[in-house]
Amino acid sequence: MRFPGFDEPWKAIHLSDVGEASSGFGFPDAYQGEETSEIPFYKVSDMNLPKNIKVMQQANNYVSQSTVKKLRVRPFFEDAIVFAKVGAAISHERKRIALSPFLIDNNMMAFTPKQKEDLEFIYHLFQKIKLSKYSQVGALPSYNASDILDIRTFYPTSGNERKKIVTILSLVDNRIEKQSEIINNLKKYKRGVFEAIFSRKLRLVSKEEQRDWKIFKLSDFASRIIRKNNGTTDIPLTISAQYGLIDQRDFFSKVVASADMSGYYLLRKGEYAYNRSTSNDYPFGSIKRLELYDKGAVSTLYLCFSVNENVMVNDFVKWYFESSQWYRSINEICAEGARNHGLLNVPTDGFFNTTHILPTDTKEQTVIATFLSLIQEKLEISQKGLNKLTELRNGLMQQLFI
């Protein structure tokens, strides 16, 4: 895709033709820093580094703004693209920044364009280049300054064309950033509303209609499911934080269930499964309702149940188990040290005897479920908007760069 008025071919270059790369003691303007408090201090947390790069995550706390004066720092001047040596362009700055020697010597490098006005264009260009092709041999991709400078690519001859490409990509990037902020704010709002509703700080019915909430055992409104699959369905289910109960083939791109699922539990739409495996997002495991399929099979390691809708509205129960209010009751029946390889030791009888403070009025339950569904719907619409913007950006990157 070309902009009108630009038809001259792009030229083949080495990156050394348009900039300089440096790392470690090769950084420009290295010196024993004394007066560095006015220089923005660049921390690992400011960089979108891969979570699996542990040394970089640990480096986050290596030095603080308060101690930067005590360290030998090597500041960049403005107009530099900052890299992680594991390969991704992570920031481009038009301001002076300071890095600790630890980051510089172990993890960081910089690319400084020869023409300052090309900073943003080269930043986008790096995102197009598949740097993994140029990595050193090792457990993780690794790059030296010479690797970066030797990369061959295509470059627009016209500076005006480079500016137009930057303009359109920057517009999309700004929109993606704003959409991400919207989603993060919605998630914070959702967490706050959940906390307020299930702690009874927020009531969604009028004062005249409010009824006391009372303590229910899970067995008061739920019945355990132990029906065997016996070949009824070939859909092996797993629990996903984002998608709930989902076909393993869609989630893992393979089946991790046993070849013979006849002994698995058969779950029908609207019924629940409790996965006792812990994670950062679900410290007491997760309870999800089957919504994507009419039926599916789950491992007998899961605790499954259906809801008695004469006592509790099913949609309300779904949202209750999306909150963290039920964690307290699980925590009470987990023996100390019960976590074994991430699997909680929650006995079946104990699970169904857990207590939960819930509204007795089905009208209030329905109002709560409807309100929380609207928040979730807004969040999902916003996420779809972000996905569309990301697809648009990826498409533009494919079409604007050779």
Side-chain angles (χ1 to χ4, degrees):
M1 183 172 70
R2 302 292 295 276
F3 291 100
F6 300 103
D7 51 15
E8 57 270 75
W10 288 25
K11 58 185 177 182
I13 64 163
H14 287 93
L15 289 182
S16 58
D17 295 329
V18 294
E20 299 175 349
S22 53
S23 63
F25 289 95
F27 273 121
D29 300 288
Y31 77 109
Q32 289 290 122
E34 294 295 336
E35 299 299 327
T36 58
S37 59
E38 78 284 359
I39 302 174
F41 186 65
Y42 218 86
K43 307 183 298 297
V44 172
S45 58
D46 298 325
M47 310 171 188
N48 297 318
L49 298 176
K51 290 182 179 179
N52 61 326
I53 310 303
K54 293 182 180 178
V55 65
M56 296 183 181
Q57 294 298 316
Q58 292 165 355
N60 185 29
N61 297 320
Y62 182 80
V63 68
S64 66
Q65 180 71 54
S66 62
T67 60
V68 68
K69 278 189 175 184
K70 302 175 185 177
L71 293 169
R72 180 178 59 179
V73 297
R74 304 169 182 84
F76 298 109
F77 288 98
E78 62 270 24
D79 303 300
I81 297 169
V82 184
F83 278 81
K85 284 188 180 180
V86 292
I90 54 179
S91 180
H92 61 301
E93 297 289 349
R94 287 197 177 280
K95 62 186 178 184
R96 206 177 188 198
I97 63 174
L99 297 176
S100 78
F102 178 83
L103 290 182
I104 291 172
D105 295 339
N106 291 278
N107 297 306
M108 306 306 299
M109 67 169 58
F111 186 91
T112 307
K114 292 182 178 178
Q115 298 185 54
K116 292 182 178 181
E117 61 270 20
D118 285 343
L119 176 70
E120 282 85 1
F121 178 81
I122 295 176
Y123 173 71
H124 291 299
L125 179 64
F126 271 122
Q127 295 177 17
K128 172 66 175 175
I129 294 171
K130 293 182 178 179
L131 290 172
S132 58
K133 292 166 38 178
Y134 309 97
S135 68
Q136 303 292 316
V137 176
L140 294 169
S142 178
Y143 307 91
N144 296 318
S146 58
D147 299 325
I148 300 299
L149 292 173
D150 200 43
I151 292 174
R152 285 178 59 85
T153 187
F154 289 93
Y155 207 76
T157 306
S158 169
N160 286 332
E161 184 174 12
R162 297 196 292 271
K163 289 177 183 177
K164 283 187 175 292
I165 291 173
V166 167
T167 297
I168 190 170
L169 289 176
S170 295
L171 284 171
V172 177
D173 282 347
N174 289 338
R175 184 66 186 88
I176 288 174
E177 183 179 352
K178 295 298 181 186
Q179 188 71 12
S180 298
E181 288 179 10
I182 290 171
I183 291 171
N184 288 335
N185 288 335
L186 277 171
K187 287 179 178 178
K188 290 178 183 177
Y189 175 69
K190 178 182 172 182
R191 288 195 296 270
V193 169
F194 268 77
E195 173 64 26
I197 287 177
F198 291 110
S199 64
R200 287 159 289 158
K201 295 175 183 176
L202 172 64
R203 302 292 293 269
L204 299 179
V205 294
S206 66
K207 201 158 191 177
E208 295 75 23
E209 297 178 297
Q210 290 178 12
R211 303 289 182 269
D212 289 339
W213 290 30
K214 76 169 193 176
I215 298 175
F216 290 86
K217 286 185 178 181
L218 181 60
S219 58
D220 292 336
F221 61 89
S223 301
R224 188 184 178 197
I225 294 172
I226 56 173
R227 76 172 81 90
K228 293 301 177 66
N229 180 38
N230 291 327
T232 303
T233 179
D234 63 350
I235 299 177
L237 298 174
T238 190
I239 286 184
S240 155
Q242 182 177 359
Y243 303 107
L245 282 158
I246 187 170
D247 191 327
Q248 292 179 5
R249 293 165 294 192
D250 294 331
F251 189 69
F252 298 116
S253 298
K254 63 179 180 179
V255 175
V256 296
S258 302
D260 179 11
M261 296 193 299
S262 59
Y264 278 35
Y265 293 144
L266 174 65
L267 211 61
R268 296 196 173 102
K269 197 169 191 176
E271 297 175 340
Y272 295 79
Y274 173 38
N275 181 0
R276 289 170 280 187
S277 296
T278 64
S279 66
N280 290 334
D281 292 332
Y282 294 96
F284 291 95
S286 56
I287 297 175
K288 298 290 184 180
R289 184 173 71 173
L290 180 59
E291 298 183 318
L292 298 177
Y293 320 98
D294 289 330
K295 52 195 171 186
V298 297
S299 166
T300 52
L301 291 174
Y302 290 9
L303 296 177
C304 302
F305 61 90
S306 61
V307 168
N308 180 352
E309 295 202 60
N310 292 323
V311 180
M312 206 68 61
V313 174
N314 199 327
D315 285 345
F316 170 80
V317 174
K318 169 196 169 180
W319 291 117
Y320 171 68
F321 285 119
E322 288 291 329
S323 77
S324 60
Q325 289 297 310
W326 60 278
Y327 291 174
R328 173 193 54 79
S329 56
I330 295 295
N331 188 45
E332 289 174 354
I333 63 172
C334 281
E336 187 175 349
R339 293 170 177 78
N340 182 19
H341 302 294
L343 189 65
L344 292 174
N345 184 12
V346 177
T348 300
D349 290 344
F351 176 66
F352 284 96
N353 281 319
T354 54
T355 57
H356 310 269
I357 303 175
L358 300 171
T360 56
D361 183 13
T362 55
K363 179 182 178 181
E364 185 173 8
Q365 295 170 21
T366 301
V367 170
I368 291 172
T370 302
F371 182 61
L372 296 180
S373 295
L374 288 173
I375 296 175
Q376 182 63 27
E377 182 181 358
K378 177 64 175 174
L379 187 56
E380 290 173 359
I381 291 172
S382 298
Q383 184 62 54
K384 287 178 181 177
L386 179 59
N387 294 343
K388 292 284 186 184
L389 287 167
T390 304
E391 290 173 10
L392 172 62
R393 190 187 192 284
N394 292 339
L396 287 171
M397 290 291 291
Q398 290 290 334
Q399 296 180 68
L400 288 170
F401 291 90
I402 298 176

